Amino acid sequence: DADVTQTPRNRITKTGKRIMLECSQTKGHDRMYWYRQDPGLGLQLIYYSFDVKDINKGEISDGYSVSRQAQAKFSLSLESAIPNQTALYFCATSDPRPGGEQFFGPGTRLTVL
Amino acid sequence: SQQGEEDPQALSIQEGENATMNCSYKTSINNLQWYRQNSGRGLVHLILIRSNEREKHSGRLRVTLDTSKKSSSLLITASRAADTASYFCATDRGSGNTPLVFGKGTRLSVIA
């Protein structure tokens, strides 16, 4: 089984809808991340969490919110989706060692019409 | 702003040739990592090099780091069609308590 799973894998929704993307990990890591990737671009950090009680904004948090339900679960919500949030979304996890390797989920392709 | 910037943005080579990708960064680092992404899929860690290391090898991969120039290179030797992917560098900005910052990547195409 995959170390990091994301659901759904694909989602098409309409402008104004609330969307939740879910992430689960079996690595036992405290640190989890949500990234967004637009075509031809690198990863932009949306939110990150270094433990269950820790939530931090990344570079592009506007329009997004997160919930860290447990060590293994970190969900991302788009409160009111807009077309320019159409992108590929990745969840990742890492251990707390400096420079710890990040393990990525397979991604969620979100299209907002 | 991006901490790491890869160069070139895209690279196309024949199978069997070597591929070299470069990464420049802005602030001091503890380590630099390289990741690979097959089209539309999650990134996979390839190799980590620490700031006190100058060169590191892993199979057909060779990574160098020049902290005085704030740059790193990833060399893939004897490339294969299966190496076709995007390659990203990521840096830690000198702290273990900040997330990695990823560059925009180099898209490598290996033509059989």
Side-chain angles (χ1 to χ4, degrees), chain B residues 9-26:
Chain B
Q9 291 185 350
L11 179 61
S12 183
I13 60 173
Q14 297 290 325
E15 206 166 30
E17 295 180 338
N18 295 340
T20 299
M21 290 157 272
N22 303 297
C23 170
S24 60
Y25 57 92
K26 297 175 183 175

Side-chain angles (χ1 to χ4, degrees), chain A residues 49-62:
Chain A
S49 170
F50 280 177
D51 65 46
V52 174
K53 296 181 180 180
D54 176 71
I55 300 288
N56 302 281
K57 293 182 177 181
E59 309 163 64
I60 56 163
S61 59
D62 287 349

